[in-house]
Amino acid sequence: MSVSEDLKILLLKEKMTITELAALASEKSGKAYTVFGISQKLARSSMKYDELKFLASVLGYKIKFEKDDNL
């Protein structure tokens, strides 16, 4: 799965739009987040890890890495 798909799934689970995410992220960070900015980063696959981590936390999630013992 891509970052874009993962974030969209989280938004669906939380019944939230990108517009609402942008507003909440702006409020929590004090930095301007726009729908256009988030959408473009997702479309271009140019979102940085720190940004994804922050947006996930805004939605109430943590990014966790787990070792795959099946490899």
Side-chain angles (χ1 to χ4, degrees):
M1 242 187 264
S2 70
V3 168
S4 177
E5 290 170 329
D6 289 341
L7 190 57
K8 286 178 183 178
I9 287 169
L10 294 180
L11 287 168
L12 285 172
K13 284 183 178 181
E14 296 305 312
K15 297 177 181 140
M16 189 180 286
T17 64
I18 292 178
T19 303
E20 293 167 321
L21 175 62
L24 194 54
S26 294
E27 181 182 306
K28 286 194 175 197
S29 70
K31 178 179 157 185
Y33 279 86
T34 64
V35 173
F36 181 76
I38 293 171
S39 297
Q40 286 300 302
K41 286 180 181 185
L42 292 174
R44 294 181 182 153
S45 297
S46 63
M47 184 170 288
K48 294 179 181 179
Y49 174 74
D50 287 346
E51 291 174 306
L52 177 62
K53 188 175 164 185
F54 171 69
L55 292 175
S57 75
V58 168
L59 293 170
Y61 292 86
K62 288 183 183 180
I63 297 173
K64 182 178 175 183
F65 292 97
E66 292 182 19
K67 182 159 178 74
D68 187 351
D69 294 327
N70 295 322
L71 294 177

